[in-house]
Amino acid sequence: MQTRTIGPFTVSAIGLGCMNLSHAYGVPPSPEQAERLLLAALDAGVTLFDTAALYGFGANEELVGRVLKAHRSRITLASKGGMAGVRGEDGVVRRVIDGRPEALRRNCEDSLRRLGTDVIDLYYLHRWHKEVPVEDSVGALSDLVRAGKVRTIGLSEVSAATIRKAHAVHPITAVQTEYSLWTRNPEIAVLEACRAIGAAFVAFSPLARAYLTDTLHDVATLDAKDIRRPMPRFAPQNYAANLQLLQPYVAFAREVGCTPAQLALAWLLHKAPHIVPIPGTTNLAHLQEDLDAAKVQLTPAQMAQAEALIGQHNVVGPRYAPQATGEVDTENFA
């Protein structure tokens, strides 16, 4: 496996996003299947594993901690706080964004316990809580670094201006945001901001939530609780239009000599050396397919053709519904 750098860590060029082993895309796999997937990734050379307090309301951290605890020295472990499940008076657990220092300290302690580790290598502010100055939230995370509970700090779904404010308080090691052929927002300013401060850019949903794998052809088949259902690009009419873009892209991947998923991941790896994609999967064959993307070589002309086939100029629908759009700080195209 090729490697890339995230702060002081040398990690596999392609990491593993662990969210869908517990959360988000319908019924998660069985614990046994999830364990096989995690161990297969480890055996294949993956060393960056990404989880969060939010995923499965703690269940994903418990899974990752239980399965990988014996291999802790071999991996770079990333998790996130500032957005977690909170049980209300009615007994229902709901997602809450809370970037107050006391909440972040509590989130971190809970994550350490669930992960079964003394320290988290890369701890992200999952969302900037806009009622709390980002300097205050990052200051609390820097306290966790000084306490030896966190090694480095990251941010998720923030703008270049917020990155600079945060970095002035404590060095930012990584910024995580959605980035793929069909979501180019980081190209507005965040990729350059990361490069300027020496931070890695960790690309989540690099396969466009399965769109770029050419395996999701009918959104009506999505589980009722699948998080893609309220996303505008997956609305039936919009998705039908987006599917029209996919077949020329699939044909182009065939010309390149790889699968559509591998083309999408190889495109990210070729965009800049500080980009680390973290695709997620529950399928062992898809895992190996994703990791083999690191072997795909693209010419500048092939990069340009991929970008012309699918991009901001022709994808139909914004990536988030209005509420979710209001919760993030990333720059948007006009």
Side-chain angles (χ1 to χ4, degrees):
M1 173 65 71
Q2 299 173 21
T3 60
R4 296 208 163 179
T5 300
I6 298 181
F9 311 112
T10 299
V11 303
S12 51
I14 298 174
L16 183 70
C18 299
M19 178 181 74
N20 60 353
L21 296 176
S22 307
H23 176 87
Y25 299 125
V27 178
S30 68
E32 295 77 15
Q33 183 181 348
E35 179 173 346
R36 285 194 295 271
L37 193 289
L38 288 169
L39 293 177
L42 186 70
D43 289 344
V46 173
T47 60
L48 175 63
F49 291 83
D50 182 276
T51 181
L54 178 70
Y55 303 159
F57 296 142
N60 195 247
E61 288 183 322
E62 290 176 351
L63 167 71
V64 171
R66 175 177 58 81
V67 175
L68 297 180
K69 184 176 182 178
H71 311 282
R72 182 67 182 87
S73 63
R74 296 170 55 187
I75 68 171
T76 297
L77 182 60
S79 193
K80 311 175 194 71
M83 184 162 64
V86 176
R87 189 176 301 279
E89 294 181 359
D90 58 1
V92 177
V93 179
R94 296 180 176 85
R95 187 191 69 160
V96 173
I97 297 174
D98 191 344
R100 295 173 300 160
E102 58 269 29
L104 292 171
R105 288 191 291 269
R106 183 173 63 251
N107 287 170
C108 184
E109 292 291 348
D110 290 342
S111 291
L112 288 168
R113 174 179 48 79
R114 289 189 293 256
L115 290 164
T117 188
D118 295 328
V119 62
I120 298 169
D121 298 316
L122 173 57
Y123 195 58
Y124 292 92
L125 180 65
H126 204 162
R127 288 290 185 274
W128 171 35
H129 183 186
K130 296 179 181 179
E131 297 175 10
V132 179
V134 71
E135 294 90 341
D136 291 357
S137 296
V138 172
L141 297 182
S142 70
D143 290 340
L144 294 172
V145 174
R146 283 187 286 273
K149 297 180 179 182
V150 168
R151 288 196 170 101
T152 63
I153 294 173
L155 302 172
S156 178
E157 292 276 32
V158 292
S159 65
T162 301
I163 292 169
R164 287 190 288 270
K165 289 178 183 178
H167 189 67
V169 175
H170 187 95
I172 299 301
T173 294
V175 174
Q176 181 173 145
T177 295
E178 182 176 356
Y179 188 34
S180 68
L181 280 165
W182 89 337
T183 296
R184 305 286 186 84
N185 303 63
E187 296 174 4
I188 300 172
V190 166
L191 283 176
E192 173 56 26
C194 288
R195 189 202 62 77
I197 67 170
F201 181 91
V202 177
F204 76 76
S205 296
L207 300 178
R209 305 181 192 273
Y211 168 74
L212 290 170
T213 66
D214 190 33
T215 60
L216 178 61
H217 301 127
D218 184 2
V219 291
T221 64
L222 296 177
D223 185 87
K225 295 183 179 180
D226 193 301
I227 64 169
R228 289 170 288 191
R229 279 199 171 270
M231 293 179 178
R233 290 179 181 177
F234 292 93
Q237 186 173 351
N238 289 345
Y239 199 70
N242 290 327
L243 282 177
Q244 297 301 309
L245 309 175
L246 195 58
Q247 290 316 304
Y249 171 80
V250 171
F252 178 57
R254 194 177 302 118
E255 289 179 22
V256 172
C258 64
T259 68
Q262 289 169 342
L263 176 58
L265 292 169
W267 174 81
L268 279 169
L269 292 173
H270 283 71
K271 285 296 286 185
H274 66 300
I275 295 174
V276 181
I278 52 167
T281 184
T282 62
N283 183 291
L284 291 172
H286 291 167
L287 170 68
Q288 192 57 57
E289 176 187 352
D290 291 348
L291 299 181
D292 285 343
K295 304 173 185 176
V296 176
Q297 297 297 313
L298 300 177
T299 67
Q302 289 170 328
M303 292 283 289
Q305 186 166 349
E307 293 175 5
L309 288 170
I310 297 177
Q312 194 66 35
H313 60 288
N314 58 6
V315 169
V316 179
R319 68 187 183 109
Y320 284 150
Q323 178 180 336
T325 297
E327 293 175 349
V328 302
D329 180 45
T330 44
E331 292 90 350
N332 284 308
F333 290 96

